[in-house]
Amino acid sequence: MKAVLVLLLLFGSAARLSAQTLDPAGQEALAATLRLLRDPALRTPAISGNPQAAGIEKQIQGLTGSPPLTQEFYELAAQVFNDLTKNSGGDVGKMSAALDRAKADPAAFTALLSAETLQRLRELAVKISDRRR
């Protein structure tokens, strides 16, 4: 969960979202961030250009243990970021505050996520757990 939070902060800070509402520029910034998270051809250069992101990428790969699960992890991260953005109205301050609170209380953070996102989170957790057995 910590890796997801840090990645969201790293990639989310690249998205220049307007406060309170997602205007056309905010919508495009969200779309660009989601593409970056979902597309390895875009994500890999962004990660390699950032030492902190590269370290987190190694942690994610260690956690997932396979390229397909790593991709699924990033797909889930994009979905979490999308939920977070929509539930905060695109307000970067609210998003950062929610991520900071999530570090201390991850269960409360899940209240910001859609039922679909929570289901994908559960499914990925099971896949990762099963892989480790």
Side-chain angles (χ1 to χ4, degrees), residues 1-5 80 97-113 118 121:
M1 181 68 156
K2 180 182 175 187
V4 171
L5 298 176
V80 168
L99 291 172
D100 285 341
R101 286 190 306 273
K103 292 174 190 173
D105 189 2
F109 181 75
T110 63
L112 300 173
L113 304 178
L118 289 172
L121 178 60

Side-chain angles (χ1 to χ4, degrees), residues 3-132:
V4 171
L5 298 176
V6 173
L7 276 171
L8 291 175
L9 286 171
L10 287 171
F11 290 134
S13 64
R16 294 181 181 89
L17 300 174
S18 63
Q20 302 304 320
T21 61
L22 287 177
D23 60 14
Q27 290 174 356
E28 178 52 37
L30 174 60
T33 300
L34 297 178
R35 280 190 304 272
L36 181 69
L37 285 167
R38 289 181 173 134
D39 185 348
L42 298 174
R43 186 175 63 240
T44 300
I47 289 171
S48 66
N50 183 320
Q52 186 178 9
I56 294 166
E57 170 71 2
K58 286 182 184 179
Q59 289 178 346
I60 291 168
Q61 290 174 356
L63 173 72
T64 61
S66 74
L69 285 179
T70 298
Q71 181 59 32
E72 192 170 338
F73 178 94
Y74 278 108
E75 291 283 340
L76 176 60
Q79 195 167 345
V80 168
F81 187 73
N82 187 53
D83 287 358
L84 178 61
T85 301
K86 291 186 178 191
N87 285 322
S88 68
D91 185 313
V92 176
K94 287 181 182 178
M95 292 167 66
S96 293
L99 291 172
D100 285 341
R101 286 190 306 273
K103 292 174 190 173
D105 189 2
F109 181 75
T110 63
L112 300 173
L113 304 178
S114 69
E116 180 185 348
T117 301
L118 289 172
Q119 183 60 34
R120 283 186 75 183
L121 178 60
R122 286 182 197 102
E123 291 169 0
L124 180 59
V126 168
K127 288 177 185 177
I128 291 171
S129 177
D130 287 351
R131 183 198 61 81
R132 292 183 175 203

